[in-house]
Amino acid sequence: MRDKQQARRGRSGGRGRPYNRNSQQWRGAFVPHIPFDIIQCENAFQRVKPAPEETALTEALLKKNQELTPSAGEQAACLSLVTKVNTVLDNLTMAPPTNFEVQIDDVKQVGSHKKGTMMASNVVADLVVVLRTLPTVEAVEALGQKIIEGVKALDPNEVMTMLPTDAGCEISSSDASVKIIVTTIPANLKKLDPDMHLPQKMMQASLAAIRHARWSEENASHSSIKVLIRILKFLRSRFVGLEPLNPWIIDLLAHGAIMQNPSRQPLAINVAFKRCLALLSAGLFLPRSVGIVDPCEGGHVRVHTSLTLEQQDQVAYTAQTLLRVLSHGGFKKILGFEGDASIATEMSVWEGVVVTPSEKAYEPPPPQEDKPEGSDRAEGEADEMETQEETS
């Protein structure tokens, strides 16, 4: 009788947690965890002493950005090659050659060159070519050859190479490169044959890159955001624990750290840099965190769900260690002006204060044992119910 009353309360939306009759377990509603952010609630904590002087940190961040920014010559070479390739693609779109079966619907520039966050060590621009036809491997190679021929027709002295890639091809000159990322119109995605065409997931990712570039152009054009993106990309390459952060996550993290605050005014770069590490340390990208909702996808998708549980933990404990080092003045080692990346994995001492690296909290689940018949189905339905709760 008591079980029936409990089940009735769960179904009717009364007090208590939802009841899953299939799994015979109580499951709580999904309540996202909001990581502590001092910037959002600074007024609630009265400062007992003046804010520390951080001119040295600000100067170091700006200096690192200058090192990471491509030179004027590199940027000019990349822009020149992009212009030539774009001209050839426009000609192929408006007046395709006879017997050329590749039909181009649109060409969009995406990636770091478009967003103004290109790194000095990677002078590469990205162009997404949307085809009206289905993207076969042969069609991609034919497109690459036509681009090479067109660029050489514009500049006979240009030395060009074409290298096929999983997503299309890469056109390179002596000074720069342009990645041609091939996709197709959304209506063709269901017609793709895995044995003949480029992978569907790759096509969808290419279409998403167009949405990301458009969002960045409209929302993340402030110079401080671009500076912070470069620095976060550098940290990702310097510290293994931050490698799971992909470029889109870094873009959104930098934008949020700079712009999302009570004043709605861009924060200083030193404040935003510390805020990034503090948010990651507080669990911004851990399971059940509110995280960052992808502004380019429907259904309130949180960007950190693309990371595995191990990767989410890895990012959090690495950021915790770096934040403690930063709090004791170790920004030069974090930014690579001194020492190596061992501060994230080995104990370090700062003016008598010992900073011990955080340890991982995630442990993979043990191998599943044999279960009674029907238990897998019950658990699967319970997991499905929880997933629906989390996405609702």
Side-chain angles (χ1 to χ4, degrees), residues 159-275:
V159 179
M160 305 293 298
T161 59
M162 191 273 289
L163 179 66
T165 64
D166 293 338
C169 61
E170 183 169 346
I171 308 297
S172 300
S173 67
S174 56
D175 301 317
S177 297
V178 174
K179 285 185 178 179
I180 304 298
I181 305 171
V182 178
T183 186
T184 187
I185 57 177
N188 284 342
L189 292 178
K190 295 182 179 180
K191 304 176 183 178
L192 297 176
D193 185 343
D195 296 329
M196 297 177 56
H197 307 123
L198 298 183
Q200 184 180 28
K201 286 187 177 180
M202 199 170 291
M203 302 292 97
Q204 293 171 332
S206 301
L207 293 173
I210 298 176
R211 298 193 294 271
H212 297 168
R214 185 184 304 119
W215 182 90
S216 297
E217 185 176 15
E218 296 173 354
N219 300 277
S221 59
H222 195 277
S223 58
S224 295
I225 299 177
K226 298 177 182 179
V227 171
L228 188 54
I229 288 174
R230 281 199 184 95
I231 293 172
L232 291 176
K233 286 182 177 180
F234 169 76
L235 295 187
R236 176 181 180 269
S237 65
R238 179 169 172 79
F239 300 103
V240 176
L242 300 182
E243 284 182 358
L245 299 178
N246 61 47
W248 180 230
I249 291 179
I250 289 176
D251 288 352
L252 295 177
L253 177 61
H255 171 266
I258 294 284
M259 301 301 299
Q260 293 178 6
N261 57 80
S263 68
R264 297 301 177 187
Q265 297 297 319
L267 295 180
I269 186 63
N270 60 306
V271 177
F273 177 68
K274 292 194 300 182
R275 188 185 187 191

Side-chain angles (χ1 to χ4, degrees), residues 238-240 322 333 338-346:
R238 179 169 172 79
F239 300 103
V240 176
L322 296 180
K333 286 197 174 182
E338 297 177 356
D340 53 26
S342 61
I343 55 172
T345 56
E346 299 177 5

Side-chain angles (χ1 to χ4, degrees), residues 53-76:
E53 176 62 39
E54 294 187 334
T55 304
L57 173 59
T58 302
E59 292 177 350
L61 291 169
L62 296 178
K63 181 180 179 181
K64 175 54 64 174
N65 174 68
Q66 187 175 4
E67 293 179 0
L68 298 174
T69 303
S71 66
E74 290 175 326
Q75 295 186 52

